[in-house]
């Protein structure tokens, strides 16, 4: 049986329970309400220095826009302080609801809430999708309570007219669906109609950007020319980065963040615990470059280096030493600073043009590592761990690329049928 307020008063008047019992019951009730309704754990309450009352801080993502930047709530008792905290959260989460709230209003609120919950590069990607494809559109200006499935269908159709690739349309749809799910959780709307929309891949543009891997022939040329150009002309120092990426499977950001202390040449290991990222700050609009410590738990890892990878790390060091760049960083500019991603891409493109092979983006080396090892029979679980993937499905579906030419593949298929059992050739 659940105790009501009236029952508690009678028990208190009868001296069956005391004021402390009542307060404890109130606290437990509020804690349960916070967790069940908003998924929020009760905050830490701090007793004031004069021991007259309690205070607690409001988490940043629940701060009401326009109010104090670091608000606190207080109360003469723990229960009162916790009740005031609950009231603030109620006002922050539900009290902002307006019947005329548009999808754009909710999307901007969702982006504000996401800041601090997800890494900056992911937030930048969400914000970019919003600004380029959703903001100030007819669809985003619809009020939430008026949105129906046909509105979502019509919006996706407008994306077909923009000649966007399937992956881009899918990312836009996913963003809108997440925002609508957020609106449902905040009781702004009842149904996520976007989740029922199907994308017609045939109406999307063909994605001309191919996610390729380096072929064995291209890697042989890159390796040979990289050594020749440096040994003979001291040119294209950063061509070694292509080989480092292809022989370690690291993200370029991980190589740019790497220090020599991360590499143990005796044990042949490389400890990867940071990533050099560049993103647009959603508040200021300015671009920020910084070190992030691991994209996720799986990204923070230690990999065993192959002999080829060890060779190219030492080669990178040899080139740096020749120029007197005795920096702690593996990849360093002539001024001793870390290089940005775009700067490395530009140098790789210059090198590819010089040796007359098609330029491929820096992430190609990572796909090459996965593909080469898979082709030679290394277990996909081992490859996935090296790449820092939390799922082998990501490794196989996204990073493995078929590298054989059509002629080579056809030759293999022909050989397979030549080797078929003799009874296949028996007359019918």
């Amino acid at each position: 049986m659940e105790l009501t307020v009236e029952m508690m008063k009678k028990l208190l008047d009868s001296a069956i329970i005391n004021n402390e019992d009542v307060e404890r019951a109130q606290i437990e009730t509020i804690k349960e309400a916070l967790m069940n309704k908003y998924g929020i754990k009760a905050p830490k309450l701090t007793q004031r220095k004069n021991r007259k009352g309690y205070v607690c801080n409001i988490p940043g993502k629940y701060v009401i826009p326009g109010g104090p930047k670091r608000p606190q709530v207080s109360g003469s008792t723990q229960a009162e302080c916790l009740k005031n905290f609950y009231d603030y959260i109620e006002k922050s989460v539900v009290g902002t609801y307006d019947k005329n709230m548009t999808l754009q209003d909710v999307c901007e609120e969702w982006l504000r809430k996401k800041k601090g919950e997800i890494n900056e590069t992911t937030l930048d990607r969400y914000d970019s999708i919003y600004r380029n494809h959703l903001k100030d559109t007819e669809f985003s200006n619809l009020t939430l309570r008026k949105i129906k499935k046909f509105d979502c269908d019509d919006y996706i159709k407008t994306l077909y007219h923009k000649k966007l690739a399937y992956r881009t349309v899918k990312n836009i749809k996913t963003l809108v669906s997440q925002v609508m799910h957020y609106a449902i959780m905040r009781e702004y709307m009842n149904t996520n109609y976007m989740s029922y929309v199907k994308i017609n891949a045939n109406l999307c543009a063909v994605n001309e950007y191919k996610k390729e891997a380096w072929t064995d022939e291209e890697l042989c040329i890159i390796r040979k020319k990289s050594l020749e150009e440096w040994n003979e002309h001291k040119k294209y120092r950063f061509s070694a980065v292509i080989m480092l990426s292809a022989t370690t499977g690291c993200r370029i950001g991980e190589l740019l963040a790497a220090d020599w202390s991360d590499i143990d040449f005796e044990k042949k290991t490389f400890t990867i615990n940071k990533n050099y990222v560049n993103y647009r700050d959603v508040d200021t609009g300015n671009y920020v470059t910084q070190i992030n410590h691991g994209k996720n738990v799986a990204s923070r890892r230690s990999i065993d280096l192959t002999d080829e990878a060890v060779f190219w790390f030492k080669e990178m060091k040899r080139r740096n030493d020749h120029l007197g760049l005795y920096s702690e960083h593996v990849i360093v500019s002539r001024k001793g600073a870390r290089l940005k991603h775009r700067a490395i891409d530009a140098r790789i493109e210059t090198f590819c043009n010089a040796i007359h092979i098609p330029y491929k983006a820096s992430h190609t080396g990572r796909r090459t590592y996965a593909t080469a090892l898979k082709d030679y029979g290394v277990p996909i679980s081992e490859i996935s761990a090296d790449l820092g993937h939390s799922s082998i499905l990501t490794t196989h579906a996204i990073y493995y690329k078929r590298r054989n030419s059509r002629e080579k593949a056809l030759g293999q298929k022909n050989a397979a049928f030549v080797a078929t059992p003799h009874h296949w050739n028996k007359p019918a």
Side-chain angles (χ1 to χ4, degrees):
M1 181 175 66
E2 188 174 319
L3 288 174
T4 64
V5 175
E6 290 300 320
M7 292 170 66
M8 292 281 284
K9 286 182 179 179
K10 288 181 180 179
L11 290 171
L12 186 62
D13 293 338
S14 303
I16 296 173
I17 60 175
N18 56 35
N19 286 323
E20 291 181 358
D21 294 324
V22 174
E23 185 176 7
R24 277 196 296 270
Q26 290 174 331
I27 289 173
E28 289 306 314
T29 301
I30 297 171
K31 283 182 177 180
E32 187 175 345
L34 282 169
M35 179 55 69
N36 291 342
K37 193 167 184 180
Y38 302 117
I40 302 172
K41 290 184 178 180
K44 180 181 179 181
L45 305 182
T46 305
Q47 193 168 23
R48 292 185 184 276
K49 290 182 179 179
N50 58 11
R51 296 190 176 278
K52 292 182 179 179
Y54 295 83
V55 296
C56 68
N57 297 318
I58 301 295
K61 64 181 178 180
Y62 295 111
V63 172
I64 297 174
K69 291 184 178 180
R70 295 179 179 178
Q72 286 185 330
V73 293
S74 60
S76 58
T77 65
Q78 292 187 57
E80 183 182 347
C81 183
L82 201 56
K83 174 65 167 57
N84 291 336
F85 176 85
Y86 178 87
D87 290 341
Y88 187 102
I89 298 298
E90 184 87 3
K91 184 178 179 182
S92 171
V93 174
V94 179
T96 56
Y97 177 63
D98 179 351
K99 288 184 178 180
N100 294 318
M101 182 178 280
T102 65
L103 178 64
Q104 181 159 314
D105 293 332
V106 181
C107 191
E108 291 178 352
E109 179 182 316
W110 179 79
L111 286 168
R112 288 197 302 271
K113 299 285 186 185
K114 281 293 179 183
K115 188 169 185 179
E117 291 183 8
I118 58 178
N119 67 55
E120 297 88 347
T121 52
T122 302
L123 182 62
D124 178 28
R125 186 170 72 250
Y126 286 152
D127 184 60
S128 178
I129 293 172
Y130 165 67
R131 286 184 291 102
N132 293 326
H133 302 290
L134 189 60
K135 186 177 181 180
D136 296 330
T137 61
E138 184 178 345
F139 178 62
S140 72
N141 285 320
L142 291 174
T143 55
L144 286 176
R145 59 194 177 92
K146 290 183 179 180
I147 294 178
K148 302 297 179 186
K149 182 177 180 297
F150 68 83
D151 295 308
C152 298
D153 284 323
D154 289 346
Y155 171 65
I156 294 298
K157 288 176 183 176
T158 66
L159 301 180
Y160 299 148
H161 298 315
K162 288 185 176 182
K163 301 297 181 184
L164 300 176
Y166 171 78
R167 187 174 181 83
T168 303
V169 176
K170 184 180 178 182
N171 287 339
I172 297 169
K173 181 195 169 214
T174 298
L175 174 69
V176 175
S177 187
Q178 287 189 63
V179 171
M180 286 188 172
H181 177 71
Y182 168 84
I184 291 171
M185 296 299 291
R186 295 297 183 271
E187 300 180 2
Y188 298 167
M189 64 189 304
N190 297 320
T191 307
N192 182 355
Y193 290 107
M194 186 57 80
S195 65
Y196 298 104
V197 175
K198 303 295 182 185
I199 300 174
N200 188 337
N202 294 324
L203 297 179
C204 298
V206 176
N207 190 355
E208 295 182 357
Y209 173 67
K210 295 181 180 179
K211 295 183 176 180
E212 301 174 301
W214 296 110
T215 65
D216 288 338
E217 292 78 9
E218 287 171 334
L219 274 181
C220 285
I221 295 171
I222 291 169
R223 189 184 198 284
K224 179 183 177 183
K225 291 295 183 180
S226 178
L227 293 172
E228 283 182 359
E229 290 293 337
W230 179 257
N231 290 335
E232 295 176 14
H233 309 293
K234 296 297 181 283
K235 293 177 65 177
Y236 309 117
R237 176 165 59 106
F238 295 112
S239 59
V241 177
I242 303 176
M243 297 303 300
L244 279 175
S245 176
T247 56
T248 63
C250 291
R251 301 174 179 89
I252 286 297
E254 291 171 337
L255 289 173
L256 293 176
D259 295 320
W260 290 115
S261 59
D262 299 324
I263 301 161
D264 189 324
F265 285 109
E266 288 186 9
K267 294 181 179 179
K268 295 184 179 180
T269 60
F270 178 21
T271 300
I272 304 162
N273 53 23
K274 49 190 179 293
N275 193 19
Y276 198 47
V277 298
N278 180 255
Y279 63 91
R280 178 184 178 276
D281 186 277
V282 297
D283 291 331
T284 65
N286 297 327
Y287 281 91
V288 179
T289 304
Q290 68 180 36
I291 295 287
N292 279 357
H293 290 277
K295 185 178 178 182
N296 51 48
V297 175
S299 293
R300 298 188 286 274
R301 62 202 188 278
S302 179
I303 63 172
D304 294 318
L305 296 175
T306 62
D307 292 340
E308 186 69 8
V310 169
F311 172 84
W312 283 102
F313 272 118
K314 289 183 176 179
E315 177 64 16
M316 190 78 251
K317 193 171 192 312
R318 182 174 75 95
R319 297 181 185 191
N320 291 348
D321 290 348
H322 175 82
L323 296 176
L325 302 173
Y326 303 111
S327 169
E328 61 179 330
H329 311 319
V330 173
I331 299 172
V332 62
S333 72
R334 286 181 179 266
K335 294 182 179 181
R338 296 188 195 273
L339 270 84
K340 294 183 179 179
H341 201 141
R342 285 175 299 201
I344 284 292
D345 275 338
R347 285 161 173 78
I348 290 175
E349 185 171 10
T350 299
F351 173 70
C352 289
N353 291 337
I355 65 174
H356 308 295
I357 65 169
Y359 162 70
K360 295 176 184 177
S362 53
H363 216 61
T364 302
R366 189 164 160 80
R367 289 188 287 270
T368 303
Y369 182 83
T371 302
L373 296 190
K374 179 71 170 59
D375 283 346
Y376 282 92
V378 176
I380 194 72
S381 57
E382 185 73 19
I383 302 169
S384 185
D386 282 356
L387 295 180
H389 289 158
S390 55
S391 171
I392 61 173
L393 297 177
T394 302
T395 310
H396 197 278
I398 300 177
Y399 283 82
Y400 179 76
K401 302 297 174 185
R402 192 176 75 174
R403 300 193 299 170
N404 288 346
S405 65
R406 292 178 62 190
E407 294 77 10
K408 185 176 181 179
L410 182 59
Q412 291 173 328
K413 292 173 185 177
N414 284 330
F417 281 104
V418 169
T420 53
H422 181 68
H423 66 264
W424 279 32
N425 299 317
K426 290 181 180 179

